[in-house]
Amino acid sequence: MKKLLLLIPISIILCSCPDMGESKHYKYTIANNSGTNIEIIPYISGVKNINQKKIISNGDSLQKELEVQPPYTSGLTMRHLITDSYDLTAIEIIFNNNKKIIYEVCPNLICTNKRNIFDVEYANDNIEIYTITPEDFQNATDCNGNCY
């Protein structure tokens, strides 16, 4: 009987522990289907950082995966594909040194341009793909072969 009385508190303690849940798997991709090679250059604290540029050939992609354990204090966003810096303020996408687009980090996560890579639409799921399209190339600003 004493053993049974001892087992009851132990089982209550074990049953009261919350289920920590399963790990979450994130997979984020920036795909280049623009028809031209691109470079993605981050702006750290407003300063263009060419040393951290990412080059993505046409038809290729940049990808990052992350496994997160409970209590899920971190995750993955498009900005993590570009740099680990928390001071990322913008990115520049350069198309074959002919045209470019600049996307700025959106204040309060509210972007007015729905193609902005920092829009929450591209960071609200465990698997996200942002595709750079021929339309992005067409809508980019011409820099006459000198985008740097």
Side-chain angles (χ1 to χ4, degrees):
M1 184 70 166
K2 286 184 178 183
K3 288 182 181 178
L4 181 61
L5 290 174
L6 183 60
L7 287 175
I8 292 174
I10 291 173
S11 8
I12 291 173
I13 291 171
L14 290 175
C15 291
S16 66
C17 293
D19 181 14
M20 291 303 288
E22 296 180 15
S23 63
K24 289 185 179 182
H25 182 80
Y26 292 90
K27 183 177 180 180
Y28 275 48
T29 304
I30 299 173
N32 178 13
N33 293 336
S34 68
T36 183
N37 297 333
I38 64 167
E39 295 176 359
I40 300 175
I41 301 173
Y43 283 67
I44 308 299
S45 298
V47 177
K48 191 176 198 175
N49 190 331
I50 299 228
N51 294 332
Q52 289 189 29
K53 77 177 172 183
K54 308 287 188 224
I55 299 171
I56 309 174
S57 299
N58 184 51
D60 284 341
S61 62
L62 178 65
Q63 194 171 81
K64 189 169 189 176
E65 295 186 48
L66 179 68
E67 193 78 25
V68 179
Q69 303 298 323
Y72 314 121
T73 56
S74 64
L76 194 59
T77 64
M78 289 296 169
R79 72 189 316 165
H80 291 106
L81 268 76
I82 299 160
T83 181
D84 290 328
S85 173
Y86 289 101
D87 297 324
L88 181 70
T89 53
I91 64 162
E92 192 171 76
I93 302 173
I94 299 175
F95 300 87
N96 250 8
N97 200 25
N98 290 316
K99 292 184 166 191
K100 68 180 176 179
I101 296 174
I102 297 177
Y103 291 125
E104 294 181 4
V105 173
C106 308
N108 300 319
L109 302 175
I110 300 171
C111 299
T112 56
N113 178 350
K114 289 301 174 190
R115 285 297 299 151
N116 189 329
I117 196 167
F118 299 113
D119 193 302
V120 293
E121 177 181 332
Y122 306 112
N124 64 1
D125 214 345
N126 289 31
I127 298 174
E128 290 287 351
I129 300 173
Y130 180 88
T131 303
I132 299 170
T133 66
E135 292 78 24
D136 293 321
F137 174 72
Q138 290 172 345
N139 294 330
T141 302
D142 195 342
C143 49
N144 300 316
N146 189 16
C147 295
Y148 300 101

